[in-house]
Amino acid sequence: LQRRKRQSQNVARSSALKPFLKDLLTIPNTLSIFRVFLAPFLAFFWFEFEWLEMALAVGVIVGVTDLLDGVLARKLNQVTDLGGLIDQLGDLVFEAVALIVAVVAGYLWYGVLIIYLFREFTVMVIRAYVVGKGGSLPSSVLGKAKSSFLQYAFFVFFLGVLMIKRD
């Protein structure tokens, strides 16, 4: 009896995993996952090698893949809740890494980083609570605008630092 129960649980897990993997392994979600893992290289190139051009290139690649994943998700009809979460995670990781670099390098007051992290943590907790209660809390236009603004601001900031350091 125990053996059948375990087999039944394994089948249930397996069947629950298939839709997750199907959602996870779409082209847009793969781009978002790539962004999550690429973003920390901004700090790595900036601090480990002082290779500012490569750090800037990482930021550009992150920005382009952020744009592409959304466009492809809509075009390929692959918009999923999981994709939305991974996209937000990619934004959060990149923005946090870029702010940390700016603070540690001495270009930005650390309070900005604390305010940013507090805001993101609060939104994450509220979103988890709402989802846990069976609701959904999709990204707002303001949240998307914030992420776009920060990506452009980081690009201009890091390009400016690069140009100053070259002279």
Side-chain angles (χ1 to χ4, degrees):
L1 184 63
Q2 288 292 348
R3 186 175 181 182
R4 283 188 186 177
K5 188 175 181 181
R6 273 185 274 146
Q7 286 175 339
S8 145
Q9 287 173 340
N10 288 339
V11 168
R13 279 190 210 122
S14 174
S15 60
L17 190 59
K18 286 180 184 177
F20 171 77
L21 289 176
K22 183 181 177 210
D23 282 355
L24 183 67
L25 299 178
T26 63
I27 293 170
N29 288 350
T30 303
L31 286 172
S32 293
I33 293 167
F34 174 70
R35 243 180 345 137
V36 170
F37 287 103
L38 182 64
F41 283 92
L42 171 75
F44 178 72
F45 288 123
W46 187 282
F47 293 119
E48 191 65 27
F49 296 110
E50 293 185 11
W51 194 1
L52 306 185
E53 296 87 353
M54 189 57 83
L56 182 63
V58 167
V60 169
I61 293 168
V62 165
V64 169
T65 55
D66 186 26
L67 177 69
L68 273 177
D69 68 12
V71 169
L72 287 174
R74 286 183 290 281
K75 187 173 181 120
L76 300 173
N77 197 26
Q78 295 179 338
V79 176
T80 64
D81 290 338
L82 179 61
L85 284 172
I86 298 169
D87 182 59
Q88 291 170 6
L89 178 64
D91 291 344
L92 174 68
V93 170
F94 174 70
E95 292 163 9
V97 167
L99 283 170
I100 290 167
V101 167
V103 168
V104 172
Y107 295 106
L108 189 65
W109 178 58
Y110 70 91
V112 174
L113 176 62
I114 291 169
I115 292 167
Y116 169 81
L117 292 174
F118 178 78
R119 183 244 180 229
E120 293 300 324
F121 178 76
T122 303
V123 169
M124 198 176 353
V125 168
I126 292 169
R127 183 169 278 123
Y129 176 78
V130 170
V131 169
K133 293 289 186 181
S136 74
L137 190 61
S139 297
S140 70
V141 173
L142 285 176
K144 292 177 184 181
K146 178 224 28 137
S147 291
S148 295
F149 172 78
L150 284 175
Q151 285 184 355
Y152 292 121
F154 291 139
F155 173 76
V156 170
F157 167 75
F158 288 120
L159 182 61
V161 171
L162 177 64
M163 292 173 74
I164 290 168
K165 289 206 176 234
R166 276 193 163 174
D167 290 339

